[in-house]
Amino acid sequence: MCGVKTYFHSVTLDEEKCRGCTNCIKKCPTEAIRVRKGKARIINERCIDCGECLRVCPYHAKKAITDSFDMLQSFKYRIALPAPSFYGQFKSGFSRGDILKALLKIGFDEVYEVARGAEIVTAATKKLFETEKLKKPVISSACPAVVRLIQVRFPSLIDNLLKLEAPMEVAAAISRQKAALAHHLADDEIGVFFISPCAAKVTSVKAPFAKEKSHVDGVLPMQDVFLKVIAVLENDPEACTLEQAGFEGIRWASSGGESLALGNDRYLAVDGIHNVLTILESIENDRLEEVDFVEVLACYGGCLGGPLTVENAFVAKTRLKKHIDQARKSDLPTVVPSHDELLWTLDIEHRPVMKLDDDLDKAMKKLEALETINDSLPGLDCGACGAPNCRALAEDIVRGMAHETDCIFVLREKIRALAAEMMELEAKMPPVLDREKTNGTGKTGIGGDASDGG
Amino acid sequence: MSGIIRLHFELPGNDLMSAGEASSSVKKKLNQLGINPAAVKKAAIAMYEAEINAIIHAGGGTLAVTITKDRINIVISDHGPGIADLDLAMQEGYSTAPDYIREMGFGAGMGLPNIKRNADRLEIKSAVGQGTTVEITVFF
Ligand SMILES: Nc1ncnc2c1ncn2[C@@H]1O[C@H](COP(=O)(O)OP(=O)(O)OP(=O)(O)O)[C@@H](O)[C@H]1O
Ligand code: SF4
Ligand SMILES: [Mg+2]
């Protein structure tokens, strides 16, 4: 797609584990997966890292590329940025302070809560709303999977996106700056690590969509950090001093949290990628009335349902509620960037990955062919061809990525036709042999010859 | 036949479950052609509203699409009750939708005005007792 720059995304396949079933191809919201030679293949430029395939794979053959703990060794001073959803992973006997303290025990020198960054983003969003220059409904950009979905499937909604940095970036920038000042560190001596609930956040660090470079150095999967933390977790009444974020920031982990923090009733919160598709469709049809802000999260339940979390999203929600109830009212930290500092520095672009051809004439011919092929397919959407549905196979065929006989029904028809033709051929005798036969039975053979014998 | 794409959809009457499917499918195809997003959006909104109208006010109909290099032409026809006063129907907020339709989020009287806003060319023919034909053109 993008010339020299290859397109990075985090979700990959574990070849060993994949059995080539059709679970993931059917669930992918951008039809980015095909089964080829018994293994699932991801069409890279279509993948939005929503993690739906990670969730549905019965063999756990999909994984997210993340960073590893070893990376901590490369930095003199390491800062942990736990996503708000991290708190929902632990049994309720432990306070938020206990959890943060445990992070200091496993190799970090400092913690900065992403929930704190979330509060700053909320403040900036309110300011932006006051300017009244926003295109309504404003669509949250907090979930990178949704932003990518909009880039590939809903380009007309790009203008509706809230063009502000994500809480993770804000937290990283502030903590980095503070550490540099307080400990006289050079920028490259500081390692900032995000503890992530999902693959999409990895991508937003490795290949940021609205800026040149992320302030985050590494992204660690929440599952791995959880295991390390649980081993050293203990009650420590003193640890509460580490708690910096208020309840409004923590609540961002759940669907609706970002909206509630805005204090405006005219919002709608949608979670789960397939629900997100429906709602984006109705915004595109201009059918969503009386709503100023739309919070859209790829995972069911919001980030608590992220594919790299440990706990079931519903259980985690109850646990998170305890932390929300115990947290104080949000107030902003002492160093707060102004809202224009949070504005995106790059515009994001439409990524027309669904386009059949760059040339409109050719694209039209391909679409015509696609329709004809689609009409000839059985319409069973069985997936045996390796494409998610018959139409997708038709599309692959016109793109030159598949063949009509990849459809087992078309193949069977062709074999049947071939068999019939073979039978027919088989019945035909070479003229030399035929003569003998004619003499014997007087029935078959070329007309003239037959009458000769009679 | 090359250079022209023709599509045809049946719009089942009073079936709100499938309402919008035809427009959605056409929209996908426009994106596959790489038509600019602004034009796709205009066509999608106008087509969607006309599709819904045929379904809820006229017991269904047909949707025929012709796409050429520079435009999309959409004709939605039905054999419903027709529109007695078209000027009135075109006004924002005018609606004859019954309560149960309103409960489903339709019936604000915004559909036709929205079609007008988004279509580059619009022609509506309607006869009471015979039906309605809405022809929408959007240029790329
Ligand atoms: N195809 C049609 N057949 C018969 N009457 C129609 C048709 N389309 C529109 N009308 C009439 O015109 C009125 C206005 O249509 P319009 O689409 O603007 O509003 P609506 O459909 O009532 O509400 P909304 O579109 O906001 O959901 C309708 O209430 C209906 O009386
Ligand atoms: S909802 Fe949250 S956890 Fe899920 S993909 Fe989006 S940002 Fe990641
Ligand atoms: Mg209407």
Side-chain angles (χ1 to χ4, degrees), chain B residues 104-126:
Chain B
M104 304 190 78
F106 299 104
M110 295 302 289
L112 286 172
N114 225 357
I115 295 174
K116 194 168 170 59
R117 248 194 310 280
N118 286 285
D120 292 327
R121 217 185 263 161
L122 173 65
E123 207 175 311
I124 303 178
K125 290 189 197 115
S126 190

Side-chain angles (χ1 to χ4, degrees), chain A residues 56 74 240 388-389 410:
Chain A
V56 298
S74 324
C240 63
N389 50 63
V410 172

Side-chain angles (χ1 to χ4, degrees), chain A residues 281 284 287 356 368 371, chain B residues 1 24 27 29 32 49:
Chain A
E281 186 91 22
E284 198 162 57
R287 264 284 164 183
L356 292 169
E368 268 180 87
E371 296 297 334
Chain B
M1 188 56 215
S24 179
K27 188 163 79 178
K29 295 177 215 272
Q32 286 183 314
E49 290 296 343

Side-chain angles (χ1 to χ4, degrees), chain B residues 45-123:
Chain B
I45 294 176
M47 188 172 26
Y48 174 81
E49 290 296 343
E51 178 182 356
I52 299 288
N53 278 353
I55 290 170
I56 65 179
H57 300 300
T62 56
L63 191 152
V65 175
T66 317
I67 305 169
T68 51
K69 266 193 93 148
D70 67 335
R71 75 187 72 181
I72 176 168
N73 182 269
I74 306 145
V75 180
I76 299 102
S77 329
D78 64 59
H79 297 289
I83 304 171
D85 185 341
L86 193 56
D87 287 338
L88 187 60
M90 292 302 295
Q91 282 177 22
E92 281 192 14
Y94 174 81
S95 174
T96 59
D99 283 346
Y100 80 98
I101 290 289
R102 282 170 204 265
E103 269 158 29
M104 304 190 78
F106 299 104
M110 295 302 289
L112 286 172
N114 225 357
I115 295 174
K116 194 168 170 59
R117 248 194 310 280
N118 286 285
D120 292 327
R121 217 185 263 161
L122 173 65
E123 207 175 311

Side-chain angles (χ1 to χ4, degrees), chain A residues 209-230:
Chain A
F209 50 76
K211 64 194 301 183
E212 289 292 346
K213 189 181 176 304
S214 170
H215 293 294
V216 177
D217 297 291
V219 183
L220 304 172
M222 194 168 280
Q223 290 159 345
D224 295 9
V225 184
F226 173 85
L227 289 175
K228 288 198 183 275
V229 162
I230 204 89

Side-chain angles (χ1 to χ4, degrees), chain A residues 153 155-157 281 283-287 350 354-356 360-361 363-365 367-368 370-371 391 395, chain B residues 1-5 24 27-29 31-35 37 41 45 48-49 67-69 105-106 114:
Chain A
R153 277 194 58 179
S156 74
L157 300 181
E281 186 91 22
I283 300 176
E284 198 162 57
N285 284 341
D286 211 7
R287 264 284 164 183
H350 175 200
M354 302 297 174
K355 193 154 76 169
L356 292 169
L360 181 56
D361 272 327
M364 286 187 68
K365 290 214 177 79
L367 184 59
E368 268 180 87
L370 193 163
E371 296 297 334
R391 200 178 164 81
E395 186 186 328
Chain B
M1 188 56 215
S2 200
I4 302 176
I5 290 172
S24 179
K27 188 163 79 178
K28 278 201 189 122
K29 295 177 215 272
N31 283 330
Q32 286 183 314
L33 290 176
I35 304 301
K41 185 170 186 183
I45 294 176
Y48 174 81
E49 290 296 343
I67 305 169
T68 51
K69 266 193 93 148
F106 299 104
N114 225 357

Side-chain angles (χ1 to χ4, degrees), chain A residues 392-407:
Chain A
L393 175 66
E395 186 186 328
D396 290 351
I397 295 170
V398 302
R399 286 184 194 274
M401 288 158 47
H403 198 268
E404 218 168 335
T405 47
D406 290 353
C407 170

